[in-house]
Amino acid sequence: MTVLSMSRAEIDRVHVLRDVVAERITVREAAQLLRLTSRQAFRLLKAYRIGGPAALLSKKRGKPSNRAYPAIVRSEALALIKTHYVDFGRTHPTGAVLRDAR
């Protein structure tokens, strides 16, 4: 048995799709419950039938964001903040950085 870490929304999807498979509700009703179009509900149902609950997990989980800055940029920014704004502690130094950049 595999343990899956699921969000609340993913758990709700599993319950609704389980009801569709058991023919307690229709796909159209499932789409309304999940606030999806019928097309998306059919797509999820197909994935659920093929892969079970694991197929409903987000494929983005554990991957870095496409919008993330490279690690070197982050480390350089932190180094600048630590050298020039030592007295800030845990507060956000953005205002002072913008003021000093003028």
Side-chain angles (χ1 to χ4, degrees), residues 2-102:
T2 304
V3 177
L4 302 174
S5 176
M6 301 180 91
S7 68
R8 184 72 223 162
E10 291 167 337
I11 292 170
D12 292 342
R13 284 182 174 184
V14 169
H15 290 298
V16 171
L17 293 174
R18 188 180 302 153
D19 288 345
V20 172
V21 170
E23 298 182 358
R24 288 189 281 266
I25 62 173
T26 65
V27 176
R28 183 175 296 228
E29 292 169 339
Q32 289 176 343
L33 288 171
L34 296 173
R35 297 180 185 201
L36 299 171
T37 62
S38 294
R39 179 185 177 106
Q40 293 303 312
F42 274 109
R43 181 186 60 79
L44 285 177
L45 181 61
K46 180 180 176 183
Y48 180 74
R49 284 185 172 151
I50 292 171
L56 302 180
L57 294 176
S58 174
K59 306 300 184 260
K60 297 185 293 183
R61 183 171 290 153
K63 294 183 180 179
S65 169
N66 291 338
R67 299 172 51 103
Y69 287 106
I72 190 74
V73 173
R74 182 178 188 276
S75 62
E76 288 177 4
L78 288 175
L80 285 172
I81 290 170
K82 286 179 182 177
T83 57
H84 296 291
Y85 304 101
V86 179
D87 58 334
F88 273 83
R90 296 182 56 94
T91 61
H92 206 304
T94 304
V97 171
L98 291 174
R99 183 190 64 230
D100 292 349
R102 292 183 196 165

